[in-house]
Amino acid sequence: MLELKNIVKKYFIGEPNELTVLRNINLKVLDGEFVSIVGASGSGKSTMMNILGALDRPTEGIYSLDGQSTGSMTDNQLSEIRNERIGFVFQTFNLIPRNTALANVELPMFYCGMGKKARRERAKELLALVGMEDRMDHMPNELSGGQKQRVAIARSLANNPSIVLADEPTGALDTKTGNMVMDLFLKINEEEKRTVILITHNEELALETQRMITLRDGEIISDKRISERGRVS
Amino acid sequence: MIVENIALAFSSIRANKMRSLLTMLGIIIGIMSVIAIVIVGDAMTASVTENMSSLGAGNITVSIQEKGLDSAEINVIAGERISLSGGRTARTGNSPESSDLITDEMINSVAESFPGEVLGVSVSYSGGSAQVKSKDLYANISISGTNSGYATANNITMISGRYISERDVEARAMTAVVSDKLVGNMFPNGDDPIGEKVKVYKSNSIETYTIVGIYEYEQMGFGGMAADIDISTPFYIPVSTAKADVLEKNYTYFTVIAANNVDVNAMTDKLQNYFDNLYRNNKLWKASASNMSSMLDSISETLGTISLAIAFIASISLLVGGIGVMNIMLVSVTERTREIGTRKALGAKNFNIKIQFVIEAAIISLVGGIIGIILGIFIGIIITNVIDAPLVISSIVVLGIAMFSMAIGIFFGWYPASKAAKMDPIEALRYE
Ligand SMILES: Nc1ncnc2c1ncn2[C@@H]1O[C@H](COP(=O)(O)OP(=O)(O)OP(=O)(O)O)[C@@H](O)[C@H]1O
Ligand SMILES: [Mg+2]
């Protein structure tokens, strides 16, 4: 379970151009939920996501993960949390260049100290799960956008995280490929019972999730359950 | 962990081959110079030591020198025996008068003045180059007038017959000791050459000598372009014979062979005193005595100075190389900011990032170092070949230098790696 309590995020603190990006955010996400976050550009979605992913620290407020507050944790402890419990999927894929698809998927396991053989085996399984097993020896620059994102999703699942965070994962993809990626997230949520939080500008995709949170100017202006799920077209 | 990082480092070197090579250049040149210095220095020392034992540590050379010049000026001529350039090369353009030179009386008086301490004396006089000819057979020679002590002083190995004797010198005999090489040229049928007469064609005369001995010719130095058959070998004749038609009978230098039980350094001092006394009234010239150990000191001093100069250049090159590595690592860290952000998002700790870049810097300089070592050994092989010195490559030195080049990478890669490790993951991910 993720919990944000009175979270505030400011930039340029103390300077004349001080900027409050998140104002008093309160949010609870239960295990196994599929939540979408929508809102205009600059409304603070990514900022909130980075705090949820333990990549960033809030200026004020408490973020706790499974009841454990992260405020007093060291950078190394946050690294461990990201490594073991959180999977990231980025809009721009962020695969490591010059590393094969397989090596990219192995990376989180490398950082948690898993042995070479076990890593390799698990990475192959994950690539098979996203339908990329026949491309595992390819370099990122030899893959299409959709293929890269599937590798990135496989990588996000490497250490069996309970939470998967995706910041506009379909933003750089066409509708068809985007739908395929969305199907993967649905599968991850439904079949593997992982919490998925998805930022999207695409209302239709948001409607496929269980819960839609809308941000405006750093505040949550709506948080609603979606009763009728399913693809419109 | 380390293994993966090494593989990673190689893949990023491979991805930027040209850039990596240019980065390595400073390290390559620096390490190459270091290796070359070590090899050449070792070779020279070994060569000098070898010469020392072959020339005999008991030799004390007395040579004419201009007053006011410091101790014997030492020349190490590539591949040749060590020679003192006292009177042989006039240092300042002044040349000694005949009356300044060492006379036969002085030389003879040495043996009388130090009974039991002197085994013999060796003199030599160059008679120029010439050719031995008979029908279509020939051999090139350089005529050298010597006395009986010369063979001892220069460790000449006789194969058969005898060396030039004192009686030959007194009688101004037309006797000659020739090399096995000459025998091979002139007596291809295997006839015994001892007692045979050979005709020596000089530039303006033809002389006939009787062969009394054969010595073993050791090729010193670079053979040069000469075909084997054309190699010129020394042709030893009595010094008196060599000087028969020249006016100048005196010597610029000669060698005293100390007896076996004598302290050579003390003997050198005694000889110096003896000659200082003889030359006390000469305003311009003196005779200076020196032995192998004083020569060796002066050679190693010269070598040390040269090495120091090259080491200085090498260390500047290594410093520049190290800064090059630092620069390229800073560029690489900036270029890979997003990669660093991604790695951190995936759970890399600062330590993981740091070690990745430190290892990359270490590998770049190690590869540069290895290339430098290979080139340095190559240069060392060429130089030792040219000066005909023994090639000694110590694997410990090579290993140590490889480690050193890696240490340079670690040292200069530390700061860029720390910079990478300290990056804020969010900022790194947002970097365009
Ligand atoms: N490091 C930073 N320094 C200063 N301002 C920042 C920084 N990061 C984000 N901001 C500001 O915070 C605000 C929210 O940014 P954020 O990236 O969270 O928006 P977003 O909702 O994800 O927008 P988009 O949909 O375009 O991705 C923006 O106004 C942005 O300029
Ligand atoms: Mg965003």
Side-chain angles (χ1 to χ4, degrees):
Chain A
M1 191 184 71
L2 308 177
E3 191 171 13
L4 296 175
K5 260 193 229 155
N6 306 321
I7 294 288
V8 174
K9 181 73 188 180
K10 293 178 182 173
Y11 286 106
F12 313 118
I13 295 156
E15 289 174 40
N17 56 347
E18 186 176 289
L19 187 68
T20 308
V21 177
L22 294 178
R23 312 160 197 271
N24 204 35
I25 299 277
N26 285 288
L27 176 71
K28 251 188 207 173
V29 178
L30 301 177
D31 289 344
E33 268 192 302
F34 194 160
V35 181
S36 57
I37 300 173
V38 296
S41 187
S43 55
K45 305 182 295 290
S46 296
T47 308
M48 186 167 101
M49 182 75 102
N50 289 338
I51 291 171
L52 287 170
L55 272 170
D56 203 359
R57 294 172 190 268
T59 315
E60 287 165 32
I62 295 165
Y63 168 43
S64 43
L65 230 165
D66 297 330
Q68 200 181 358
S69 167
T70 57
S72 56
M73 287 186 184
T74 64
D75 285 351
N76 276 350
Q77 284 172 312
L78 293 182
S79 289
E80 268 166 34
I81 288 195
R82 291 197 295 272
N83 185 243
E84 289 161 13
R85 298 205 245 168
I86 298 166
F88 287 94
V89 180
F90 305 92
Q91 179 176 0
T92 50
F93 325 123
N94 287 1
L95 295 181
I96 307 288
R98 295 198 306 273
N99 282 19
T100 59
L102 195 68
N104 264 283
V105 177
E106 282 182 35
L107 206 55
M109 299 181 266
F110 169 64
Y111 286 127
C112 80
M114 199 189 279
K116 182 93 191 162
K117 247 177 118 180
R119 246 156 54 196
R120 189 117 298 185
E121 217 155 279
R122 167 104 179 119
K124 282 181 185 168
E125 271 171 36
L126 288 164
L127 283 170
L129 182 79
V130 298
M132 289 292 294
E133 65 269 42
D134 51 344
R135 294 298 177 101
M136 61 187 186
D137 292 322
H138 286 238
M139 294 292 168
N141 60 8
E142 298 163 350
L143 299 174
S144 73
Q147 290 172 331
K148 282 186 209 174
Q149 200 59 301
R150 275 144 72 192
V151 173
I153 291 169
R155 182 176 71 180
S156 75
L157 300 176
N159 282 340
N160 229 338
S162 49
I163 307 147
V164 175
L165 302 177
D167 192 344
E168 297 190 52
T170 62
L173 306 174
D174 62 41
T175 319
K176 203 169 148 246
T177 331
N179 284 340
M180 194 168 67
V181 165
M182 188 62 191
D183 287 341
L184 271 176
F185 284 113
L186 287 166
K187 185 167 151 189
I188 288 163
N189 173 245
E190 278 160 20
E191 289 175 17
E192 305 194 4
K193 306 285 175 239
R194 299 182 210 275
T195 310
V196 178
I197 303 178
L198 171 90
I199 294 180
T200 180
H201 276 112
N202 185 334
E203 190 98 0
E204 281 174 18
L205 289 187
L207 287 172
E208 289 185 47
T209 67
Q210 298 164 357
R211 181 180 169 193
M212 184 163 84
I213 292 167
T214 312
L215 280 185
R216 188 204 286 157
D217 294 333
E219 281 175 302
I220 295 177
I221 55 161
S222 96
D223 180 352
K224 57 184 179 213
R225 304 237 138 245
I226 295 159
S227 47
E228 198 149 319
R229 295 171 64 200
R231 205 156 285 170
V232 185
S233 59
Chain B
M1 174 100 194
I2 300 280
V3 178
E4 269 96 354
N5 276 313
I6 291 172
L8 215 65
F10 275 112
S11 86
S12 81
I13 290 172
R14 243 180 287 126
N16 292 301
K17 281 191 205 76
M18 195 60 193
R19 190 169 89 179
S20 309
L21 191 72
L22 290 174
T23 304
M24 289 170 192
L25 212 56
I27 305 273
I28 292 175
I29 293 171
I31 295 292
M32 185 179 80
S33 327
V34 170
I35 285 277
I37 300 170
V38 172
I39 290 178
V40 173
D42 282 355
M44 297 273 251
T45 314
S47 166
V48 168
T49 321
E50 208 174 73
N51 274 331
M52 281 232 344
S53 50
S54 81
L55 287 183
N59 288 4
I60 300 165
T61 305
V62 178
S63 63
I64 293 298
Q65 239 179 39
E66 217 171 324
K67 278 191 172 159
L69 289 180
D70 274 347
S71 65
E73 193 69 22
I74 306 303
N75 277 349
V76 186
I77 298 160
E80 280 184 20
R81 301 212 166 183
I82 300 146
S83 55
L84 280 175
S85 67
R88 270 197 269 183
T89 10
R91 290 274 279 90
T92 58
N94 297 333
S95 29
E97 303 279 318
S98 181
S99 58
D100 296 323
L101 297 181
I102 299 165
T103 61
D104 278 319
E105 289 79 63
M106 289 184 194
I107 294 174
N108 293 336
S109 71
V110 166
E112 287 156 21
S113 308
F114 301 99
E117 291 176 288
V118 172
L119 204 64
V121 291
S122 156
V123 295
S124 72
Y125 176 81
S126 167
S129 50
Q131 202 169 47
V132 175
K133 268 198 272 194
S134 155
K135 295 182 197 122
D136 54 345
L137 300 172
Y138 72 94
N140 292 326
I141 54 170
S142 57
I143 298 170
S144 184
T146 64
N147 68 344
S148 62
Y150 187 87
T152 322
N154 292 281
N155 227 14
I156 287 174
T157 314
M158 296 302 293
I159 295 173
S160 68
R162 59 169 177 87
Y163 197 72
I164 304 293
S165 67
E166 281 314 304
R167 201 177 301 159
D168 290 337
V169 175
E170 274 159 37
R172 219 180 270 177
M174 299 299 280
T175 49
V177 174
V178 301
S179 67
D180 48 353
K181 167 95 195 17
L182 180 140
V183 170
N185 278 17
M186 301 305 298
F187 301 92
N189 301 331
D191 299 343
D192 183 14
I194 305 289
E196 294 296 321
K197 290 192 161 46
V198 285
K199 278 206 165 110
V200 172
Y201 291 74
K202 299 217 258 184
S203 56
N204 49 7
S205 62
I206 302 170
E207 288 163 359
T208 306
Y209 288 89
T210 307
I211 297 175
V212 294
I214 301 164
Y215 70 91
E216 188 186 331
Y217 173 64
E218 283 173 60
Q219 189 178 327
M220 306 284 290
F222 192 48
M225 298 300 132
D228 197 47
I229 192 164
D230 288 330
I231 291 172
S232 169
T233 60
F235 185 86
Y236 298 113
I237 60 173
V239 65
S240 52
T241 313
K243 286 184 166 189
D245 0 297
V246 287
L247 292 173
E248 182 56 76
K249 306 284 182 203
N250 295 339
Y251 303 89
T252 54
Y253 78 100
F254 78 104
T255 304
V256 176
I257 307 151
N260 288 332
N261 53 345
V262 166
D263 176 343
V264 180
N265 286 331
M267 185 66 204
T268 306
D269 290 345
K270 278 191 206 171
L271 278 170
Q272 185 65 61
N273 284 336
Y274 183 75
F275 276 92
D276 280 347
N277 192 38
L278 287 176
Y279 275 81
R280 69 179 177 277
N281 293 324
N282 193 320
K283 290 206 165 50
L284 289 172
W285 299 90
K286 67 180 181 188
S288 149
S290 64
N291 61 36
M292 279 295 163
S293 73
S294 58
M295 273 191 213
L296 187 67
D297 284 350
S298 141
I299 286 163
S300 52
E301 202 176 293
T302 316
L303 268 180
T305 316
I306 296 170
S307 301
L308 210 67
I310 300 176
F312 181 69
I313 295 167
S315 57
I316 287 180
S317 182
L318 286 176
L319 182 71
V320 170
I323 292 170
V325 169
M326 176 138 87
N327 179 51
I328 220 66
M329 289 314 294
L330 285 171
V331 170
S332 178
V333 165
T334 310
E335 273 178 359
R336 283 149 75 184
T337 303
R338 278 179 78 92
E339 173 185 329
I340 294 164
T342 307
R343 287 178 183 272
K344 287 198 160 186
L346 297 180
K349 294 176 183 166
N350 292 1
F351 155 82
N352 298 121
I353 302 290
K354 183 156 190 166
I355 212 158
Q356 179 190 333
F357 283 95
V358 166
I359 287 179
E360 190 169 322
I363 294 291
I364 288 181
S365 359
L366 179 64
V367 171
I370 289 171
I371 296 175
I373 288 172
I374 292 168
L375 293 179
I377 288 179
F378 196 67
I379 290 176
I381 289 174
I382 291 174
I383 295 180
T384 49
N385 238 307
V386 167
I387 66 173
D388 194 44
L391 179 70
V392 211
I393 299 170
S394 141
S395 53
I396 295 193
V397 167
V398 167
L399 206 70
I401 287 176
M403 292 291 137
F404 179 63
S405 67
M406 206 160 83
I408 290 173
I410 293 173
F411 182 81
F412 285 97
W414 198 264
Y415 169 70
S418 305
K419 212 183 132 179
K422 280 192 209 115
M423 277 184 184
D424 179 69
I426 301 292
E427 275 167 34
L429 279 169
R430 291 170 66 101
Y431 182 83
E432 309 268 349

